[in-house]
Amino acid sequence: MKIGSRIIGRDQKPYIIAEMSGNHEGSLETALKIVDAAADAGADAVKLQTYTADSMTLDIDHPDFVINNTDSLWYGRRIYDLYEEAHTPWEWHEPIFKRARERGIECFSSPFSNDAVDFLVDLGAPALKIASLESVDLDLIAYAASSKLPLIISTGLAEQFEIDEAISAAREGGCEELVILKCTSSYPTDPSESHLRTIADMRDRFEVEVGLSDHTLGIGVPLAAIAYGAVIVEKHVTLSRNDGGVDSAFSLEPNELKALVEESDRAHRSVGEVRYGPTPGESGALLRRRSLYFVEDIPEGTVITREHVRSIRPNNGLAPKHLEVVLGSRVTMDVERGTPVKWQHVEDEGRKK
C-alpha cells in the first residue's frame, strides 16, 4: 500500500496515524492545533471522522438510543448527543486538510456514509479508513472501495468470517491497496485484551498486511505490535487529557505521540532478520572474549599445567575450549608471561590428544 509518498509495508518504518476523533472539542482552532502537534511529533498522518449525528443514529428519547454499558466512558449519554458533540463539521475538513498539507503530513478520514465517501474523494483524501463498527457494513465498504483509493479496515469486534466478508467486499468493489487493523473496541482497552499474537495470524490467514488501531494507555502495546509485524499504528491524540475531550482519557498527548514515532522506528529496526553470530556493530566486542594466555614465564620443553595457562581477556589466544589439549603438552619455545597461547607454542603430540 502507498499513502501519498509513503510506502507501507514490513520493510518500511511503521506508518503512524494520529486520530483526532472528537478531541477538537468543537473548536476548529483546536483541530488545527492537533494537526500541528501531530506534524511536530513526526506522525505520518492525521485522521478525522466524517459523519453527522443524523447519519449515525436517531434523535430520539428511547432506551435503545442511550449508552447503557456501565463500564463505558459515556454511560448514560444519548447516542445522538454524543455524536453531535464529537463530530467534525464538514466545513472544517477543507481547512484541516489544507493545514496538514502545509505541515507536510497526510490527512484522511473514516467515512460513515456514501455521501461522506464522495465528500472525501472530492477533497483529495489520499486514503479512506473503515471504522471497526462499520466493518460489517459491506455496502459502505464496497462503495468506499469503488473510489479506488487505498483502504484501511479496522476489525474491532469482527469474527474471522466477518473480516473475510469485509475484505471480499473491498476487493470486489475495486480496492487494490488494502491493510486491515487489529483492534479491540473497548475504551480504554486493557492490554491483556489486545491479543497481539493475532496480527501474524491475520496476515497469513487473510493475505494482507496488518496494523494496529490501539486504545490502550501509553505506547507499550503499539511497540509490541510492531514486533509482530504491524505496519500501521493508529492512536487517538489530544492536546491535553486534562482538556476533557470525548476521547481524551485514552489519547496520547503530543510528547507521547513524539515518543511513539521515535520508539516505533527503533522497534521496527530492532526486528531485523533471523541471524546468528556477530553483527557488524559487535565486531569490536570479539576482542573482549576470553582466550588462553600464558600467565607465567616458561622455558622450552616445560609440561604445561594449570599454573601456566589461564582463560582471560582479551581474545588473542586459542579459544578456552582447547585448554584440555594444551594442558600436559610441552611448550616448543621459551614463553613470557602475558603471551597468548598459539598452536605454535604446543608440541604436536599435545595437539593430537
Side-chain angles (χ1 to χ4, degrees):
M1 174 187 280
K2 189 175 182 181
I3 297 180
S5 61
R6 270 280 269 123
I7 297 173
I8 298 172
R10 275 171 285 165
D11 58 344
Q12 305 290 322
K13 68 178 182 178
Y15 192 85
I16 308 299
I17 301 172
E19 166 66 75
M20 183 184 300
S21 184
N23 285 333
H24 50 65
E25 301 180 79
S27 165
L28 176 58
E29 180 182 1
T30 299
L32 296 176
K33 287 180 178 178
I34 291 175
V35 174
D36 288 337
D40 290 341
D44 294 289
V46 63
K47 194 188 76 65
L48 313 178
Q49 296 180 0
T50 305
Y51 63 85
T52 64
D54 289 309
S55 71
M56 299 291 282
T57 190
L58 296 178
D59 183 4
I60 186 173
D61 292 318
H62 186 284
D64 284 356
F65 295 86
V66 175
I67 296 175
N68 56 18
N69 177 6
T70 57
D71 293 329
S72 172
L73 293 172
W74 310 291
Y75 173 68
R77 297 283 306 274
R78 286 204 323 155
I79 297 174
Y80 187 93
D81 294 340
L82 189 63
Y83 288 133
E84 185 67 23
E85 175 187 338
H87 87 286
T88 301
W90 289 29
E91 62 269 21
W92 291 6
H93 283 56
E94 186 171 358
I96 292 173
F97 271 58
K98 181 175 182 290
R99 178 64 66 87
R101 286 193 294 270
E102 291 171 348
R103 294 304 311 275
I105 65 173
E106 299 294 344
C107 184
F108 57 95
S109 186
S110 292
F112 290 80
S113 64
N114 290 1
D115 287 346
V117 171
D118 295 339
F119 176 71
L120 293 169
V121 170
D122 289 343
L123 274 177
L128 298 173
K129 186 209 168 183
I130 302 298
S132 284
L133 300 185
E134 274 57 49
S135 65
V136 293
D137 190 341
L138 303 185
D139 286 340
L140 176 63
I141 292 173
Y143 193 79
S146 70
S147 71
K148 307 299 183 181
L149 290 174
L151 201 58
I152 300 169
I153 301 178
S154 198
T155 63
L157 299 175
E159 301 281 359
Q160 289 181 30
F161 76 90
E162 291 172 325
I163 297 174
D164 191 56
E165 288 173 346
I167 291 174
S168 295
R171 295 300 192 201
E172 291 168 8
C175 177
E176 297 180 356
E177 297 182 85
L178 175 67
V179 171
I180 63 175
L181 303 184
K182 174 71 179 74
C183 180
T184 304
S185 294
S186 55
Y187 308 91
T189 299
D190 187 298
S192 66
E193 294 190 345
S194 295
H195 299 297
L196 298 181
R197 293 181 190 273
T198 312
I199 290 173
D201 183 78
M202 291 172 75
R203 184 172 57 246
D204 294 339
R205 186 180 303 275
F206 301 112
E207 299 182 337
V208 293
E209 293 293 349
V210 181
L212 176 72
S213 177
D214 181 54
H215 305 121
T216 64
L217 305 179
I219 65 174
V221 170
L223 298 182
I226 291 164
Y228 283 103
V231 299
I232 291 174
V233 171
E234 179 187 73
K235 289 284 283 187
H236 287 243
V237 175
T238 184
L239 295 179
S240 171
R241 281 189 289 274
N242 292 330
D243 290 345
V246 292
D247 295 334
S248 62
F250 55 90
S251 297
L252 296 182
E253 294 183 342
N255 64 313
E256 295 169 318
L257 178 61
K258 186 175 189 297
L260 174 63
V261 171
E262 294 171 349
E263 296 303 325
S264 292
D265 184 34
R266 291 190 181 100
H268 174 256
R269 289 188 287 119
S270 76
V271 173
E273 60 188 7
V274 176
R275 178 174 183 147
Y276 297 94
T279 65
E282 291 179 301
S283 58
L286 287 171
L287 190 61
R288 299 198 300 274
R289 276 182 163 182
R290 288 175 177 259
S291 68
L292 299 181
Y293 267 78
F294 290 106
V295 295
E296 299 287 345
D297 295 338
I298 309 176
E300 180 182 349
T302 301
V303 176
I304 302 171
T305 68
R306 289 184 179 272
E307 286 70 36
H308 300 136
V309 174
R310 285 176 55 199
S311 171
I312 60 173
R313 296 180 183 184
N315 181 26
N316 287 321
L318 295 177
K321 68 181 180 181
H322 297 302
L323 178 61
E324 293 303 318
V325 174
V326 172
L327 293 176
S329 300
R330 296 180 185 274
V331 291
T332 59
M333 63 188 77
D334 293 343
V335 295
E336 296 181 352
R337 183 173 185 264
T339 300
V341 178
K342 306 287 187 180
W343 286 122
Q344 66 199 50
H345 298 120
V346 181
E347 63 186 359
D348 290 341
E349 289 76 9
R351 277 174 272 175
K352 294 175 183 177
K353 287 184 179 181

